[in-house]
């Protein structure tokens, strides 16, 4: 009953349901989406999942800041995510605060574990 998200950072951009439907349609049809559209879509997905975790009584866990696959030689030899990660220096607090507050504002913030890689 725990869901683990390994993310560089938590996305948070305000969006409308119409925007998310349009972004999904564009991507599904093979069109390019902007960085802002990608951030809005990531935000929508995380908020949706956060609400579902609350509904089911699950704990959400975020391990943040991973800089993945730093050794290209070993990546080629062993594949992705085989022990060559490190701490990244991504900005975390502002969007994380907005994300958690958005769930709490709907009284849908489930138990949450946060840590950096």
């Amino acid at each position: 009953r725990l869901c683990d998200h390994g993310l560089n950072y938590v996305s948070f951009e305000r969006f409308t349901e119409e925007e998310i439907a349009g972004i999904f349609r564009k991507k599904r049809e093979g069109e390019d989406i902007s960085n802002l559209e990608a951030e809005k879509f990531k935000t929508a997905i995380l908020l949706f999942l956060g609400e579902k975790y609350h509904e089911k009584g699950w704990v959400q866990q975020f391990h943040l800041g991973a800089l993945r696959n730093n050794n290209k030689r070993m990546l080629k030899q062993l594949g992705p995510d085989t022990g060559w990660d490190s701490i990244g220096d991504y900005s975390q607090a502002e969007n994380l605060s907005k994300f958690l507050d958005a769930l709490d504002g709907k009284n849908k913030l489930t138990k949450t574990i946060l840590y950096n890689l």
Side-chain angles (χ1 to χ4, degrees), residues 26-37:
K26 281 175 66 174
K27 192 65 179 171
R28 188 182 62 225
E29 293 174 2
E31 296 178 39
D32 290 334
I33 60 172
S34 70
N35 287 340
L36 180 58
E37 288 173 319

Side-chain angles (χ1 to χ4, degrees), residues 8-9 64-68 70 86-92 116:
N8 295 352
Y9 57 89
L64 303 171
L67 183 60
R68 304 280 184 195
N70 293 300
S86 68
I87 295 172
D89 60 354
Y90 308 100
S91 179
Q92 300 291 351
N116 194 293

